[in-house]
Amino acid sequence: MSPVDIAREEAAERAARELVSGEYQREPFIDMIVRHVRQFLGDLADSLGGDGDTVPLSAIGLALVLAALVGLLVWSSRRATRARAAAAPEGIFGERVLTAAEHRAAAERHAADGRYAEAVRERLRAIARDLEERVVLDPRPGRTAAELAEEAGRALPGFAAGLRAAARTFDDVTYGQLPGTPEGYAGLRDLDERIRKARPARAAAMAPAAGSPEPPR
């Protein structure tokens, strides 16, 4: 019997219809992989002059090499994904919910004991919580140090550079494994004290200028 001559476009349409049929949708993933491997080996054998039942050793060797390469790529991708997830910054706050005053007290205790990395973390948490308590920032779990610097910098433009520096110090001791220093902590403590006395830009914009007449009633 002569082979059936099917145009390339018609063959593609038939293959697409088969793929969307219920039989393929119910096919387990492992079975689908095995089927594709068998089809690949058969096509490879045909191209090398063999038949689908007796696959040349060279074809098997090539298939094993390809499978090893695919496995290596999958392993590398998963490893890179885990590494990125491990390095991704987490939120500023831990599991406990503390007030700004409690974070400041904890920071001072750590500094007194010479644990400056912990002191830096608690002081930045104090800054973030203070801004939330004063409704300068909306409370948001999971806010990172960089996000705090960006959002607070918009509300307090005069402190934007100091907030970015504080966020870098926080990330250095938290994720960069750098040791905290007395100077680094002193910078955050000074920033915290100055921010506590500052008025947000939006509040200052809403306040009437000195000596300006009141709006008509």
Side-chain angles (χ1 to χ4, degrees), residues 31-49:
D31 293 344
M32 182 183 68
I33 295 297
V34 171
R35 178 172 53 80
H36 281 296
V37 170
R38 288 178 176 173
Q39 181 179 354
F40 167 76
L41 291 175
D43 294 342
L44 189 59
D46 292 340
S47 66
L48 294 175

Side-chain angles (χ1 to χ4, degrees), residues 152-170:
R154 288 196 297 266
L156 301 166
F159 296 93
L163 286 163
R164 288 194 295 269
R168 286 194 297 270
T169 302
F170 178 93

Side-chain angles (χ1 to χ4, degrees), residues 15 136 151:
V136 176
E151 296 168 16

